[in-house]
Amino acid sequence: MQNLNIYASRLVSKEEPFAPGHRACIGCGEALAVRLAAKAFGPNTIVVNATGCMEIVASQYPYTSWQLPWIHTLFENSAAVASGIEAGLKAQMRKGTLPQEDINVVAIAGDGATLDIGLQALSGAMERGHNFLYLCFDNEAYMNTGIQRSSATPFGAATTTSPAGKVHAGQLSWKKNMPEIAVAHGIPYVATACPSYPFDLIEKVKKGLAVKGPAYIQIMSVCPTGWRCDTDISILLGRLAVETGVFPLYEVENGRYKMSMEPQKLKSLQEYTKLQRRFRHLKPETLAQIEARVVEEYENLVEKAK
Amino acid sequence: MGRRIGIEVSIALADAVKLANADVIAAYPITPQTHIVEHLAELVAEGELDAEYVPVESEHSALSACLGSSAAGARTFTATAGQGLELMHEVLYVASGMRLPIVMAVANRALSSPLSVWGDHSDAMAVRDTGWIQVFTENGQEVVDQIICAFKIAEDHNVLLPIMVHLDGFHLSHVIEPIEMPEESDVCEFLPPIHSPLTLHPSKPVAMGDFAPPVVFTEAKWAQEQAMSGVKKTIIQVWDEYAQKFGRSYHPVECYKCEGAKTLLFTMGSFSETAMSAVDSLRAKGVDIGLIRLRLWRPFPFEEFRAAVKGVKTLLVLDRSISSGGPGGPVASELKAALYNEADKPAVVSFIGGLGGRDITVDGFEQLITDGMRIAASGTDKEYEMIGVRE
Ligand SMILES: Cc1ncc(C[n+]2csc(CCOP(=O)(O)OP(=O)(O)O)c2C)c(N)n1
Ligand code: SF4
């Protein structure tokens, strides 16, 4: 990734398929992540969007922020809709009713739409081997409905359905390891990315599109509204998520793990959590407990990538 | 001229989908629909039908995949029943709201619980208001004919709405009948290739499924509703064309021995044929009875229905589902609503029967008619009669 930084900025497309002019909150990391990913799509792309922030901020009739063919149908079915589009294009091209060409089919969805309600549809689509790219924009909660917990919400984080109270302190379960679930489907490409590392993100989206078959990328997307953080630190927080080991960047090509970024030494978890009021209620013991688990999982991952 | 063969209705239905040259089939098994998607899988595996067969992991995804393929401009088919249709419920509204011409066969089945794989119309009634065109079929021949017509109706540019072809689970789906299968070349002439006016393609980017704030939602629904209210005209046109080409004619409402009858029995689906035998037998005994059968359930053919019951004193309605805690028979209550403003309206006697696969024989229908006439004469304070309950 280091080498990439030197020249990649010049290679990045100036096109903005996800156009300026949408109604995301100030500092929204998810909107930035979508914009960067869209730069990698190219014009021959159809986008399927699950219900969630990115659908709402980009599609109020009669406006759209998309310069690409775009469809939204429901919260939990973007992988299944993408399956149908891929099948529909394939059949028509084979029968000669559509000209033969490479058309990318990309499904985009939040963590709720992916790890929770849409997991079955995603699993089915990955298992059937449709040629499509699935991007999960992970802001660690259901933000569009007003910050409710999802199975991507980290342990201890306060949301409106995992509030910090006298008895319970925020989210009571550990973040579901979705990339690992995708890997278990034996698909050709799985990766994690974060808009704080834009060239890496763009490169991974391109890779995901290039493989034949399903590709899955989980993209850490800071949400100032839901994380209760300042609106000008989204990039910083994304970096800290990577540098603390909370959200390691890696890719899995045909089952082979590779770290994309290996900090010399992980930063302390507190550097990350202290900037977000969703963690402010946590006691030092709990933070230590979380940190121990983060480090352990990170080391396991590094071991796999060896 | 087609070939007349003895064939299971589900298999014939799948063959009709092949004749229609579908591009994409999304498939998820559920009794009593399974033979349809199984046979389609065989046709695709044998190379007899060039289609993408998408063996999805649930009915929710089956219809979702149909949304995608139809939005991409492909001719799209799926089939389901009972719980499967319920699992699709959320997606049904999207298909009609997006004006996607998907064709779906529904082998009607009761809804759990208790678990029942057998037939009634509960599944159809539960999706009554989803904005799909809905046609009820009576026999295997009609199933084949209506599937072919369904593609032509749904894909017509004045329509562009999804359509369900209902066939009674087991009572129709699993019987072997003599059916005339149309020739492929004739179907080709009758059914032009699909050409959707707006599709997802990079050559002309469009946004589908935006969210609509209150200032436009009503207008969107109104536009959809106007399309729906114009649909009947196209349906009748397509059925007329079909009659000209294939010699079998279909109408939204059909009457059997109704001339001068003061009492009419009202049915939908495959029981209509059994009911005809009961009408024959009672007519032979001098009973003044006729049968009125509804083929087009949505959009409801108000004019044809009102015309068919003009001058009739009593309408005996058989419902194969129940609107629990409500007026009993959903069909009967719709008929009452359709007649409410008429000057000389018939009395409606509502019967519920044939639930969860319970058979109603010719004798059963004779009994129903006799009871109905007696109730109509003496009056009743009951909303409906439940027939065949064993004490
Ligand atoms: C079946 C269904 N249940 C619930 C909802 C309400 N809903 C809409 S978006 C959303 C949360 C989206 O969260 P996520 O997928 O994480 O995306 P984000 O908004 O955070 O980007 C929910 C619960 C819905 N639209 N459909
Ligand atoms: S709630 Fe969060 S994810 Fe949604 S638009 Fe606002 S900042 Fe972005």
Side-chain angles (χ1 to χ4, degrees), chain B residues 46-347:
Chain B
E46 296 289 350
E48 289 180 38
L49 168 60
D50 184 6
E52 282 298 307
Y53 188 87
V54 191
V56 282
E57 82 301 329
S58 76
E59 285 88 351
H60 196 284
S61 286
L63 196 53
S64 299
C66 289
L67 294 181
S69 77
S70 190
R75 179 167 286 167
T76 303
F77 176 83
T78 189
T80 193
Q83 306 303 133
L85 190 56
E86 286 296 288
L87 189 54
M88 286 179 179
H89 198 103
E90 180 194 30
V91 195
L92 293 171
Y93 284 92
V94 184
S96 58
M98 277 195 177
R99 308 283 303 272
L100 297 174
I102 298 161
V103 174
M104 170 151 71
V106 181
N108 298 112
R109 166 177 162 169
L111 296 174
S112 276
S113 86
L115 177 69
S116 165
V117 297
W118 294 276
D120 67 30
H121 292 167
S122 307
D123 54 359
M125 292 304 140
V127 299
R128 185 181 65 171
D129 303 330
T130 54
W132 284 56
I133 300 167
Q134 298 189 44
V135 175
F136 274 81
T137 58
E138 211 168 284
N139 55 41
Q141 185 65 59
E142 188 180 345
V143 168
V144 167
D145 296 342
Q146 288 301 339
I147 286 289
I148 295 166
C149 290
F151 285 103
K152 185 155 168 130
I153 294 166
E155 294 168 6
D156 189 294
H157 285 199
N158 292 318
V159 177
L160 291 173
L161 284 168
I163 179 165
M164 283 179 212
V165 176
H166 294 282
L167 66 156
D168 282 319
F170 291 112
H171 277 106
L172 193 46
S173 62
H174 281 57
V175 296
I176 293 173
E177 287 190 8
I179 293 176
E180 188 178 302
M181 288 307 288
E183 290 297 339
E184 197 172 336
S185 54
D186 289 338
V187 176
C188 256
E189 279 169 27
F190 173 75
L191 181 63
I194 182 170
H195 178 71
S196 293
L198 275 184
T199 62
L200 288 174
H201 195 276
S203 60
K204 189 170 181 265
V206 291
M208 296 189 184
D210 307 29
F211 87 91
V215 288
V216 291
F217 189 86
T218 308
E219 285 68 22
K221 282 291 144 188
W222 180 236
Q224 183 186 334
E225 199 47 26
Q226 281 186 315
M228 190 57 145
S229 57
V231 158
K232 198 178 70 189
K233 204 169 125 231
T234 309
I235 294 177
I236 292 171
Q237 254 170 29
V238 170
W239 285 349
D240 285 350
E241 259 180 71
Y242 196 84
Q244 271 170 25
K245 187 143 196 80
F246 298 94
R248 288 179 293 275
S249 62
Y250 296 101
H251 307 279
V253 175
E254 280 173 15
C255 291
Y256 181 72
K257 298 199 171 164
C258 292
E259 309 75 40
K262 288 280 166 267
T263 303
L264 293 184
L265 173 62
F266 181 102
T267 54
M268 281 158 76
S270 63
F271 274 4
S272 306
E273 297 221 323
T274 320
M276 276 183 210
S277 304
V279 167
D280 287 344
S281 141
L282 287 175
R283 277 260 172 176
K285 291 178 200 157
V287 181
D288 173 29
I289 178 85
L291 175 71
I292 161 168
R293 300 169 286 155
L294 190 75
R295 175 162 296 113
L296 183 60
W297 172 235
R298 282 293 180 274
F300 189 87
F302 289 99
E303 285 166 54
E304 289 84 349
F305 169 69
R306 287 179 188 135
V309 300
K310 199 139 210 94
V312 168
K313 286 268 165 291
T314 309
L315 195 59
L316 313 175
V317 184
L318 173 67
D319 258 286
R320 295 193 64 198
S321 70
I322 184 162
S323 168
S324 190
V331 176
S333 53
E334 285 218 6
L335 301 185
K336 285 182 197 167
L339 294 169
Y340 187 78
N341 286 330
E342 299 297 287
D344 285 322
K345 48 182 165 279

Side-chain angles (χ1 to χ4, degrees), chain A residues 22-32 52-54 57 137 139 141-147 221-227 231 234:
Chain A
H22 53 71
R23 53 197 86 212
C25 315
I26 303 170
C28 174
E30 192 160 315
L32 176 59
C53 276
M54 285 309 112
V57 303
F137 292 99
N139 57 17
Y142 301 148
M143 296 309 179
N144 182 51
T145 33
I147 325 169
S221 310
V222 175
C223 167
T225 307
W227 293 16
T231 51
S234 299

Side-chain angles (χ1 to χ4, degrees), chain A residues 31 44 94 129 142 172 195 199-200 292:
Chain A
N44 257 15
R94 193 174 56 230
Y142 301 148
L172 298 170
F199 307 130
D200 179 62

Side-chain angles (χ1 to χ4, degrees), chain A residues 16 25 60 75 91 127 174 197-198 211 217 230 238 264 301 304:
Chain A
E16 298 287 2
C25 315
Q60 177 176 323
F75 184 24
E127 176 269 324
W174 296 90
Y197 302 86
V211 297
I217 305 178
D230 292 346
Q264 296 282 314
L301 182 66
K304 275 195 205 169

